[in-house]
């Protein structure tokens, strides 16, 4: 049992940390406030090969181990959670194509996805179907050697930049519903595929989050992920396990930033003749924050390691649930330690406080995570202890 990063992982984290501190931290406050798209940061992601973190080396990717995968999102979210979303959705979709795509799909798409020459995302959620993915209404009807897709998707990251965009559809109406669900890869510029609007958000700024309309979108049948209908739900849920590790790692990064800001402020801010870090009330808050953040980090890394060997439905749910709840608590406590200044946009904790709630919702709400954990325990698929 080893609770330390290996030498390669430490070096990778150092490279990420230096990049974040140099390229992201200085610009995040202004760009987040003005809604500026982080094009320059995206170019740095390309240069560093980060668009290929879940793509096998034979297709030009980095094929990172899962702890290093988590480190990417922890460190970037520490600087600006919003820009981590550019890589998040891309990495899940690229992993799905690498894992489930036909050889032709892999050869055609993965090399460009690895360099960022192409980007991708994942279109699952609909206005009337989020947690209940089996309730989606988007249909894909076979017409000769094409599918014709009609429907609406919402809360889609990378909507304007995805090429292709994997879209979860119903290719047949059957019971249970998941047996009729498939993922189809829709190329950018396909007639009928439009970004209908940008969604206004509390936080998670820096990357676009959009609604997509699909009206008589004709897609070659060769773009059915894996080439077999009825596998889409399984493919999406497998990707969401990895997505929950991604979200957990982002939550750890946000929490770490909140703690660092609170600790530094408590040392600098004086009241009644001494730094407020000298008051027991502040010390107790810092102790709670530090303990919970480290617990969330270790839980996230544990789920990441386990995911390399097997499915981690319960483990990923535990990490995502706990780490995101920690982020909610630590960002609030950081704001309290800052007092009135914590409510000001001049201090980073205000942004962290707005970013944290998304991680308790995204990749499945935390109530859903608790049900996933409980069902796995009751079924004997997961256990507590060794």
């Amino acid at each position: 049992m080893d609770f330390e990063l290996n030498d390669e992982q430490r070096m990778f984290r150092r490279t990420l940390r230096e990049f974040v501190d140099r390229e992201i931290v200085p610009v995040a406050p202004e760009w987040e406030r003005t809604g500026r798209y982080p094009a320059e940061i995206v170019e740095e992601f390309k240069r560093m090969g980060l668009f290929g973190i879940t793509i096998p080396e034979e297709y030009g990717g980095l094929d990172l181990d899962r702890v290093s995968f988590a480190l990417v999102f922890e460190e970037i979210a520490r600087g600006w959670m919003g820009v981590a979303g550019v890589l998040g959705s891309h990495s899940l979709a690229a992993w799905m194509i690498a894992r489930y795509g036909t050889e032709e799909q892999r050869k055609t798409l993965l090399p460009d996805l690895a360099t960022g020459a192409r980007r991708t995302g994942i279109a699952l959620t609909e206005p009337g179907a989020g947690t209940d993915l089996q309730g989606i209404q988007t249909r894909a009807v076979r017409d000769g050697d094409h599918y014709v897709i009609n429907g609406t998707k919402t809360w889609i990251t990378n909507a304007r930049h995805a090429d292709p965009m994997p879209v979860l559809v119903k290719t047949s109406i059957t019971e249970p519903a998941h047996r009729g669900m498939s993922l189809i890869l829709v190329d950018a510029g396909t007639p009928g595929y439009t970004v209908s609007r940008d969604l206004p958000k509390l936080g998670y700024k820096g990357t676009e989050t959009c609604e997509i309309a699909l009206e008589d979108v004709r897609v070659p049948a060769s773009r059915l992920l894996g080439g077999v209908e009825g596998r889409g739900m399984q493919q999406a849920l497998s990707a969401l396990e990895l997505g929950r590790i991604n979200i957990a790692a982002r939550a750890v990064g946000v929490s770490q930033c909140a703690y660092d800001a609170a600790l530094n402020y408590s040392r600098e801010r004086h009241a009644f003749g001494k730094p407020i870090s000298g008051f027991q009330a502040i010390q107790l808050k810092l102790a709670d924050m530090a303990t919970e953040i480290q617990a969330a980090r270790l839980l996230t890394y544990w789920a990441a390691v386990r995911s390399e060997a097997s499915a981690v439905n319960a483990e990923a749910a535990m990490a995502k649930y706990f780490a995101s709840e920690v982020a909610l608590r630590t960002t609030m406590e950081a704001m309290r330690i800052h007092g009135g200044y914590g409510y000001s946009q001049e201090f980073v904790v205000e942004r962290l406080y707005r970013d944290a709630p998304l991680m308790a919702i995204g990749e499945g709400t935390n109530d859903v995570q608790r049900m996933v954990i409980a069902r796995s325990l009751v079924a004997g698929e997961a256990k507590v202890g060794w």
Side-chain angles (χ1 to χ4, degrees):
M1 186 178 298
D2 190 351
F3 291 99
E4 297 293 331
L5 301 178
N6 62 37
D7 290 342
E8 186 175 341
Q9 290 164 342
R10 279 196 296 271
M11 185 178 301
F12 184 60
R13 183 184 63 182
R14 187 180 310 117
T15 299
L16 288 168
R17 187 163 293 178
E18 291 171 354
F19 160 68
V20 169
D21 289 341
R22 183 182 67 250
E23 302 291 341
I24 297 180
V25 171
V27 301
E30 179 64 21
W31 291 10
E32 199 265 356
R33 189 160 44 246
T34 60
R36 185 185 189 283
Y37 189 79
E40 295 88 341
I41 295 173
V42 171
E43 290 303 310
E44 287 298 306
F45 287 166
K46 293 179 183 179
R47 183 186 63 80
M48 297 173 70
L50 296 180
F51 282 103
I53 60 178
T54 58
I55 296 175
E57 292 180 359
E58 64 185 288
Y59 298 104
L62 295 181
D63 196 20
L64 293 183
D65 67 87
R66 291 295 170 79
V67 171
S68 296
F69 168 86
L71 287 171
V72 169
F73 293 100
E74 178 183 340
E75 289 299 323
I76 292 174
R78 182 182 60 82
W80 184 5
M81 201 279 285
V83 297
V86 174
L87 286 178
S89 296
H90 171 94
S91 298
L92 300 195
W95 180 85
M96 283 197 313
I97 294 169
R99 175 74 179 271
Y100 297 113
T102 65
E103 183 54 34
E104 181 62 25
Q105 289 167 352
R106 291 195 290 263
K107 288 193 302 184
T108 301
L109 298 173
L110 291 179
D112 282 347
L113 291 173
T115 63
R118 285 179 182 254
R119 281 188 260 162
T120 185
I122 184 167
L124 305 179
T125 302
E126 298 185 3
T131 298
D132 177 20
L133 284 180
Q134 295 190 70
I136 65 168
Q137 298 299 311
T138 299
R139 290 293 314 277
V141 178
R142 187 69 182 254
D143 181 21
D145 57 359
H146 283 72
Y147 286 99
V148 180
I149 305 175
N150 283 279
T152 302
K153 295 291 181 179
T154 194
W155 292 106
I156 310 304
T157 300
N158 289 341
R160 288 192 175 84
H161 298 92
D163 184 21
M165 174 68 80
V167 178
L168 186 66
V169 301
K170 286 187 175 178
T171 42
S172 64
I173 303 301
T174 185
E175 292 295 336
H178 67 83
R179 292 183 178 173
M181 298 169 68
S182 305
L183 279 162
I184 295 179
L185 308 173
V186 180
D187 290 335
T190 302
Y193 174 98
T194 58
V195 175
S196 52
R197 67 187 182 111
D198 289 88
L199 300 174
K201 300 171 292 183
L202 172 70
Y204 190 48
K205 298 179 181 180
T207 183
E208 80 278 19
T209 306
C210 304
E211 189 167 275
I212 295 172
L214 301 109
E215 300 178 3
D216 294 328
V217 176
R218 292 184 64 83
V219 181
S222 61
R223 289 293 186 160
L224 174 68
L225 183 63
V228 179
E229 290 186 2
R231 305 278 177 84
M233 189 65 164
Q234 172 197 355
Q235 294 162 346
L237 292 179
S238 294
L240 287 176
E241 286 189 7
L242 187 60
R244 286 165 184 160
I245 294 172
N246 154 22
I247 294 294
R250 285 198 230 178
V252 171
V254 167
S255 295
Q256 183 69 50
C257 186
Y259 167 78
D260 290 342
L263 178 62
N264 291 336
Y265 183 81
S266 74
R267 290 167 170 166
E268 297 167 358
R269 175 69 169 178
H270 284 66
F272 305 101
K274 65 178 182 180
I276 63 172
S277 60
F279 292 103
Q280 188 179 60
I282 299 298
Q283 292 174 350
L284 295 178
K285 291 181 185 297
L286 292 171
D288 288 345
M289 292 167 71
T291 302
E292 288 200 323
I293 292 166
Q294 193 61 3
R297 177 177 285 113
L298 292 174
L299 187 59
T300 299
Y301 293 179
W302 169 73
V305 170
R306 293 289 297 270
S307 74
E308 294 186 335
S310 63
V312 287
N313 200 25
E315 293 92 334
M318 287 178 181
K320 187 268 185 190
Y321 162 53
F322 184 75
S324 61
E325 292 292 330
V326 168
L328 290 172
R329 290 193 291 271
T330 56
T331 54
M332 170 57 87
E333 290 304 288
M335 183 175 285
R336 285 174 166 163
I337 289 172
H338 279 73
Y341 287 115
Y343 205 64
S344 168
Q345 290 186 345
E346 295 178 347
F347 288 76
V348 70
V349 293
E350 178 270 343
R351 167 162 52 90
L352 302 174
Y353 179 76
R354 289 186 289 105
D355 280 343
L358 176 68
M359 291 172 288
I361 300 169
E363 264 25 8
T365 67
N366 280 356
D367 285 339
V368 168
Q369 305 312 308
R370 294 161 68 195
M371 290 190 292
V372 167
I373 295 163
R375 288 169 181 169
S376 296
L377 293 171
V378 170
E381 298 166 356
K383 65 177 182 177
V384 177
W386 303 111

